[in-house]
Amino acid sequence: MARKMVVANWKENPRTEAQALKLFAAIHAAMGGPQKHGTDVVLCPPFIYLEDIAHAFRKVKKSTPAGCFALGAQDAFWEERGAFTSEVGPKMLRSLGMEYVILGHSERRKYAHDTDAIINKKVKLALKDGLKVILCVGEAPAVRERGAAAARRFVKAQLKKDLAGVSKASVIVAYEPLWAIGTGHFDEPADAAEMLAFIKDFLIETCGLKAKVLYGGSVDGRNVGDYIQYKSIDGALVGGASLNTKEFIKIITT
Ligand code: PGA
């Protein structure tokens, strides 16, 4: 089976830097253990911890198999520098050693009002500045209630807007139905697999992008295997369960 990818989205957690470093160390230690698929793991801590985690990461990088452990940020601004109070640009993140950035997460769309137009600007600059983009898309419960075809139309429209003008780039898409995020309600693996296959085909046809596509939404140690058994599911974007060391290790070793 092809290598799978697991992205940990720590969101606004953990509470202290010491806890963040402890979590990082435990996950790194587990990376040396047996992994069925040789999982690629990307950790995305909050901005405030990135510098120290990047420092710890540099120290252990040599002892981790190449390509299977990387760091990312949870957002990046659409301008490189300037009078943009509190914002962080992709070049700044690159300079700290970040390889990935999550963009368009539904919580950014909801609480920070990131529109598709804003996300598109962020995607373009992040790619230009050398970050690999993990673009999140997914429909709200009201859309899904109208059926799978409505959900596909919604996701397609998001992808079109978020990736306008983007081709042949390092983009990974995470499909996260909103009703499954942090709720304990997860999508049926077979339904998710179908949606991910649809996303892959759409990306190839419209953007010429051969992208990895991940599923996200209440993935944990118990259900991860049900998802990644599908060929179209390249891995998972994990929120809550990525903060629990035992649970996360189970996910990356499944
Ligand atoms: P969850 O979050 O795993 O807690 O559902 C996923 C996400 O928001 O990326």
Side-chain angles (χ1 to χ4, degrees):
M1 199 186 254
R3 286 178 78 84
K4 298 289 177 176
M5 180 177 205
V6 175
V7 179
N9 178 9
W10 288 2
K11 307 191 181 185
E12 194 190 352
N13 297 293
R15 200 168 308 182
T16 66
E17 183 173 43
Q19 286 170 354
L21 287 166
K22 204 168 150 204
L23 186 56
F24 170 83
I27 294 165
H28 174 259
M31 297 287 300
Q35 294 182 352
K36 227 201 236 152
H37 305 295
T39 311
D40 291 325
V41 177
V42 180
L43 301 184
C44 301
F47 283 138
I48 188 82
Y49 303 141
L50 288 183
E51 187 171 3
D52 283 332
I53 294 212
H55 181 70
F57 178 77
R58 279 194 293 276
K59 281 209 229 153
V60 298
K61 197 164 191 301
K62 279 203 192 84
S63 61
T64 320
C68 83
F69 197 31
L71 296 179
Q74 298 172 19
D75 188 40
F77 196 51
W78 70 73
E79 293 282 355
E80 261 163 18
R81 78 190 75 79
F84 303 104
T85 302
S86 94
E87 296 294 354
V88 177
K91 268 205 177 147
M92 296 169 177
L93 295 168
R94 283 294 291 153
S95 77
L96 277 186
M98 295 307 115
E99 209 177 308
Y100 292 84
V101 64
I102 297 173
L103 293 174
H105 191 280
S106 60
E107 287 150 14
R108 292 280 321 164
R109 293 178 193 256
K110 181 175 173 189
Y111 300 116
H113 309 292
D114 276 8
T115 61
D116 289 308
I118 287 174
I119 292 160
N120 180 245
K121 286 205 277 182
K122 289 183 173 185
V123 167
K124 284 187 185 152
L125 185 66
L127 290 171
K128 175 177 159 285
D129 287 348
L131 286 170
K132 294 173 187 155
V133 167
I134 302 162
L135 171 68
C136 301
V137 293
E139 80 286 356
V143 177
R144 173 58 77 102
E145 275 161 22
R146 298 204 297 272
R152 280 200 294 272
R153 273 197 304 278
F154 182 89
V155 166
K156 190 164 123 180
Q158 270 188 329
L159 288 169
K160 258 192 185 164
K161 288 185 255 179
D162 298 347
L163 294 174
V166 174
S167 65
K168 299 206 171 36
S170 297
V171 176
I172 292 143
V173 170
Y175 167 65
E176 302 200 302
L178 268 57
W179 43 272
I181 297 179
T183 57
H185 301 296
F186 44 88
D187 202 1
E188 277 300 321
D191 293 346
E194 246 179 62
M195 175 63 102
L196 267 57
F198 166 79
I199 292 174
K200 279 185 179 178
D201 289 347
F202 175 77
L203 293 174
I204 290 176
E205 281 159 25
T206 27
C207 319
L209 279 181
K210 207 169 172 300
K212 279 194 174 169
V213 186
L214 316 177
Y215 169 75
S218 299
V219 173
D220 59 26
R222 269 164 305 145
N223 63 25
V224 66
D226 299 337
Y227 289 100
I228 60 172
Q229 63 168 321
Y230 287 95
K231 197 161 164 265
S232 65
I233 302 187
D234 294 310
L237 176 50
V238 186
S242 71
L243 297 165
N244 177 320
T245 312
K246 268 202 198 138
E247 195 71 31
F248 191 64
I249 289 172
K250 176 115 194 286
I251 292 171
I252 64 177
T253 53
T254 293

